[in-house]
Amino acid sequence: MTELDGARIAVVGMGVSGQAAAAALESYADATVSTWDGRGDDAGARLLTPEALLDWYPDIVVVSPGLPAVGDVHEALHARSIPAWSEVELAWRMRSRDEAGQAAPWLAITGTNGKTTTVNMVAAMAAEAGVSAAAVGNVGDPIVTAVTREDGPDLLAVELSSFQLYSTSSMSPLASGCLNIADDHLDWHGSPEAYRDAKARVYDNARVACLYPLDDPIVAAMVENADVVEGARAIGLTRGVPAPGQIGLVEGMIVERAFGPERFTSANELFQVSDLEHLAHGDLPVHLLSDAMMAAGLVRAAGVQPESIRSALRSFGLGAHRIETVAVRDGVTWIDDSKATNAHAARASIRAQEDGSVVWIAGGVSKGASFDSLVADISSKLKGVVVIGVEQEGLLRALSSQAPGVPVTVIPPASATVMQDAVRAAGHLAGSAAVVMLAPACASWDQFSSYADRGQQFAHAILE
């Protein structure tokens, strides 16, 4: 941490990660730290403008994930060649070490969807093996908080967004995985290519393994082009029979031929597909199987044995707002998947349902995404659609062109009771037999404080 000695460090954005970064930096008496936020005094910080920030002459700026790469702050820092660090980058540099000089290893996970489920599976598998583990990042504690505690965990399952990875450069995880890639957050990054480049950083400096889905050529290219530590291996995940160096599916069993000298002649059973059946309403969604395969591969890289993987999955729960059944009444099942904040996630949840059975509640902040391919893919599943949110035009256009025969109810953007209105409308469309699914394919911040708030309001309206 010699780069902090005598440095002027600006922490920009006083959200959860910014507050954690500022608190961690308080221990460095030789550094001068200032905090900045667009709310100024209301956030207990200096009022953020690019000009004021540069006039403070920072040596390092720890940036909030809320500041877009195409925004004026990042552009100003780049123009002055001032290093911009994510909270992840700060955490990696500040992580505590034991008496032997060793720091807790990281298992890093990114992807458009499935990150939270996967990191929680990783933490559960490690804990089942007797390892002190924590899921951190976009779930649990901020990373910098976890790594600077004296009683910190012995292993970290780290959920990483493209926002965080954009300003992360020195992280060297034990193993890394990217679950999937679909266009998302294009307004933040500026282009699909920039979004993918940020995600690809998860593999840089990996020490043991880079795990990836074999059927995703974009992620495979990320692994191929990654600058890893010598000896790190690429491990492909497949729903077919695995070759050496892969994890795959054989007669209802997930098996690995990726670790240990026996991988060339035999396979280790990691878990049964049936171990996940308690997580599904109806058929097991393919993405849940993929998440579990990724989690199992990552913990195998850390030495966790198969029996701990199986045991953890059999008792694992998805948590709130992730394909969560809220109620079943009069032939109608109400499911909260408010965490489905993009088209890729919504597609996975809806395609697991029977044809013609789903009343879909969708809409919100589109983040620059298009909905045509999503609606085309799920149109056969739809019994009706309720559109919420402020940005409705793109979704309505896709429904009109790709699912013209599906009934659509629009909740006015100015409604003060948007979720109550949506639930009432969905009930009318459902009739006596349907699955009503809140899988918005959009962010929530136009009408709700978070995806969790959106899901809670959905559940409250149903129970009312």
Side-chain angles (χ1 to χ4, degrees):
M1 291 304 297
T2 55
E3 58 266 75
L4 294 187
D5 293 340
R8 294 173 64 82
I9 305 168
V11 179
V12 175
M14 286 293 100
V16 173
S17 64
Q19 292 179 42
L25 286 166
E26 288 179 0
S27 63
Y28 279 84
D30 290 339
T32 302
V33 179
S34 64
T35 57
W36 302 74
D37 194 278
R39 297 165 293 170
D41 288 343
D42 289 342
R46 299 169 187 243
L47 180 63
L48 175 64
T49 67
E51 298 76 16
L53 179 62
L54 294 178
D55 285 346
W56 192 73
Y57 296 104
D59 298 304
I60 299 165
V61 178
V62 180
V63 290
S64 163
L67 293 171
V70 295
D72 52 5
V73 172
H74 275 286
E75 290 175 355
L77 296 176
H78 180 73
R80 293 280 188 92
S81 299
I82 298 172
W85 291 1
S86 65
E87 179 248 333
V88 182
E89 180 70 17
L90 180 68
W92 180 259
R93 294 171 183 256
M94 293 187 72
R95 63 198 192 283
S96 300
R97 299 178 182 273
D98 61 21
E99 293 180 356
Q102 300 298 310
W106 292 16
L107 299 176
I109 301 102
T110 194
T112 303
N113 294 299
K115 298 183 294 296
T116 300
T117 298
T118 304
V119 295
N120 282 325
M121 285 179 171
V122 167
M125 292 170 183
E128 191 70 22
V131 178
S132 170
V136 297
N138 284 342
V139 59
D141 287 335
I143 306 169
V144 74
T145 302
V147 301
T148 55
R149 291 203 314 257
E150 291 185 3
D151 60 343
D154 294 327
L155 180 121
L156 291 104
V158 185
E159 177 182 340
L160 297 171
S161 71
S162 60
F163 307 154
Q164 294 166 312
L165 286 164
Y166 178 79
S167 300
T168 299
S169 59
S170 66
M171 178 185 70
S172 183
L174 183 73
S176 298
C178 180
L179 291 155
N180 44 59
I181 284 288
D183 288 349
D184 197 15
H185 303 300
L186 304 187
D187 51 348
W188 197 97
H189 290 279
S191 71
E193 294 76 19
Y195 171 66
R196 294 166 192 168
D197 287 347
K199 288 289 192 187
R201 288 175 177 253
V202 76
Y203 291 118
D204 287 344
N205 308 311
R207 293 186 282 131
V208 172
C210 299
L211 290 93
Y212 69 101
L214 275 171
D215 61 356
D216 193 322
I218 295 174
V219 182
M222 292 178 182
V223 173
E224 184 177 349
N225 296 323
D227 185 9
V228 302
V229 174
E230 185 175 356
R233 294 189 292 114
I235 295 173
L237 309 181
T238 176
R239 289 189 292 277
V241 177
Q246 297 177 359
I247 296 172
L249 178 63
V250 179
E251 297 181 350
M253 296 182 293
I254 299 301
V255 302
E256 62 100 337
R257 302 184 64 187
F259 302 98
E262 72 278 5
R263 66 184 182 275
F264 297 105
T265 57
S266 63
N268 290 316
E269 179 188 340
L270 299 181
F271 61 91
Q272 301 269 349
V273 174
S274 60
D275 293 331
L276 300 170
E277 288 179 349
H278 66 286
L279 300 176
H281 172 79
D283 294 337
L284 179 70
V286 171
H287 66 90
L288 284 179
L289 180 59
S290 298
D291 296 347
M293 290 173 67
M294 177 65 77
L298 288 166
V299 298
R300 286 292 289 144
V304 172
Q305 296 303 306
E307 53 268 25
S308 297
I309 293 171
R310 288 193 293 270
S311 180
L313 288 178
R314 288 169 183 163
S315 59
F316 185 78
L318 288 175
H321 316 301
R322 295 168 179 84
I323 324 178
E324 180 183 14
T325 299
V326 176
V328 180
R329 180 75 61 84
D330 299 328
V332 178
T333 301
W334 299 81
I335 296 178
D336 171 12
D337 195 18
S338 184
K339 187 70 166 61
T341 58
N342 55 56
H344 189 272
R347 178 187 286 107
S349 296
I350 293 170
R351 289 185 67 175
Q353 309 304 318
E354 295 180 1
D355 283 357
S357 69
V358 178
V359 176
W360 180 32
I361 301 177
V365 180
S366 66
K367 299 176 287 183
S370 168
F371 300 101
D372 285 354
S373 63
L374 166 63
V375 175
D377 285 350
I378 64 173
S379 60
S380 66
K381 306 289 184 181
L382 298 178
K383 185 175 185 179
V385 181
V386 178
V387 176
I388 62 174
V390 172
E391 298 177 6
Q392 298 183 346
E393 182 179 351
L395 182 55
L396 290 172
R397 185 168 56 245
L399 289 165
S400 177
S401 64
Q402 305 300 322
V406 175
V408 177
T409 300
V410 176
I411 306 302
S415 171
T417 55
V418 55
M419 195 54 78
Q420 293 94 322
D421 296 345
V423 165
R424 189 176 300 111
H428 287 308
L429 290 169
S432 59
V435 172
V436 176
M437 179 170 285
L438 173 67
C442 292
S444 58
W445 56 74
D446 55 341
Q447 294 177 315
F448 308 93
S449 62
S450 65
Y451 77 81
D453 175 47
R454 179 169 60 189
Q456 289 162 0
Q457 290 199 34
F458 175 65
H460 184 67
I462 293 164
L463 297 177
E464 278 192 331

